Amino acid sequence: PSRSHWRASAPAPVRGDHGDGGFLLGRPGGGTLEQPFGGGWELVCRPDLPTGTHIPGAKQTALRLEPGGGLQPQLGKGGTMNWINRAIKQEEIDRELFRSFERRQVVDQCWRKEEGQWVIRRDPFIDQWSEADYAFLVTCLRHTIAEGGVVFGAFCEGKLKGFASVEGLPLGSRNQYLDLTSLHVSEELRGKGLGRRLFALAADWARCRGAEKLYISGHSAVETQAFYRAMGCREAEEPNLEHVEKEAFDCQLEYQLI
């Protein structure tokens, strides 16, 4: 099952009511822990539990909160690094948030669909964001939260090193999809498991909102597609025309949640 492991030493919280920013968890003995998906607690979606601490809009869904020790998830062969993973508030999203994030991706081969068949073609380029791209990103992520979606960030010593966003409005003929509109890891930390953790958080959030599947319009680079396939994604049964028209070379994927 998809689980998100982010732990810190602190008194165990108890279930409580949610606030405007997501979860509002009471500490035994007074005080509150107000960082949704942050503060280092292990969050596990459990539809079989009574509704307690929950995502706004979720139906009969609760989270089991388990205390642990030390914010030190394993990140591949490089050893351990100290991380905090949490939902980002709308007012935090500005250009400064991304100063320590490196988008740069060197691409050599991409997947292309030709005559109904997927093939790999050489198409070398460097994918990098300009200041205008970052300005557009800030606008998009702020809009995501305003429309009921979520943006997760992975922080190392307060510096953003990865993020993922899921839209709040459903897609598909049966409203079966929630849209994973971004998932990015800073260049120096790719291949260390951080993307998997962000994907798991996004999937858990969408599952708790009642979605059947995640929708992904994914970069066609061979490495990017290898990541999504490793996560269990497959070609979307119902491609979203808006995504297809916006990014003609993207691979339209889906991930089964239930």
Side-chain angles (χ1 to χ4, degrees):
S2 179
R3 297 164 65 92
S4 307
H5 300 275
W6 301 99
R7 299 183 172 190
S9 300
V14 296
R15 293 193 183 99
D17 296 326
H18 63 79
D20 293 340
F23 301 106
L24 180 61
L25 313 176
R27 291 182 188 274
T32 60
L33 174 66
E34 296 179 322
Q35 290 183 318
F37 293 98
W41 300 101
E42 181 182 31
L43 308 181
V44 183
C45 285
R46 288 288 301 276
D48 56 310
L49 295 178
T51 300
T53 302
H54 63 284
I55 296 172
K59 297 180 180 179
Q60 296 300 311
T61 301
L63 296 175
R64 187 176 70 244
L65 303 170
E66 301 175 358
L71 269 168
Q72 292 188 336
Q74 291 287 333
L75 292 180
K77 296 180 180 179
T80 61
M81 297 183 69
N82 293 330
W83 290 93
I84 292 178
N85 196 77
R86 62 178 177 83
I88 301 175
K89 296 178 182 179
Q90 188 182 44
E91 58 268 26
E92 295 180 87
I93 300 175
D94 56 19
R95 177 64 181 94
E96 194 61 31
L97 181 66
F98 300 94
R99 291 297 178 191
S100 298
F101 178 86
E102 180 56 69
R103 169 63 185 97
R104 187 174 183 270
Q105 181 178 0
V106 179
V107 178
D108 183 57
Q109 294 181 317
C110 297
W111 284 98
R112 297 286 183 259
K113 199 166 192 178
E114 300 177 1
E115 298 181 356
Q117 299 295 321
W118 285 104
V119 296
I120 295 176
R121 298 296 185 208
R122 192 164 186 271
D123 186 12
F125 64 96
I126 296 177
D127 203 344
Q128 179 65 289
W129 288 339
S130 66
E131 285 302 313
D133 291 328
Y134 275 106
F136 182 65
L137 174 67
V138 166
T139 299
C140 289
L141 295 181
R142 291 178 66 88
H143 179 76
T144 293
I145 295 174
E147 293 294 313
V150 68
V151 180
F152 292 111
F155 294 83
C156 183
E157 298 183 357
K159 297 178 180 180
L160 183 73
K161 291 297 182 179
F163 63 96
S165 62
V166 185
E167 302 304 310
L169 300 178
L171 301 177
S173 58
R174 297 179 290 102
N175 290 333
Q176 69 269 35
Y177 295 112
L178 281 181
D179 196 358
L180 179 70
T181 43
S182 63
L183 197 166
H184 296 283
V185 173
S186 194
E187 182 182 30
E188 74 277 13
L189 289 169
R190 291 173 197 152
K192 298 182 181 297
L194 184 57
R196 288 178 175 270
R197 288 172 173 82
L198 286 169
F199 187 92
L201 278 177
D204 280 348
W205 188 87
R207 186 181 295 110
C208 287
R209 297 278 295 198
E212 296 177 21
K213 303 176 181 181
L214 275 179
Y215 189 94
I216 305 108
S217 181
H219 197 297
S220 62
V222 166
E223 296 82 3
T224 302
Q225 288 304 303
F227 166 79
Y228 284 121
R229 296 292 178 171
M231 295 304 300
C233 300
R234 63 187 183 189
E235 191 169 359
E237 293 180 354
E238 191 177 313
N240 179 268
L241 294 181
E242 182 177 351
H243 278 305
V244 172
E245 291 174 0
K246 188 180 298 183
E247 295 288 349
F249 289 127
D250 272 11
C251 300
Q252 306 304 311
L253 307 172
E254 66 182 31
Y255 176 76
Q256 191 74 39
L257 295 168
I258 58 174

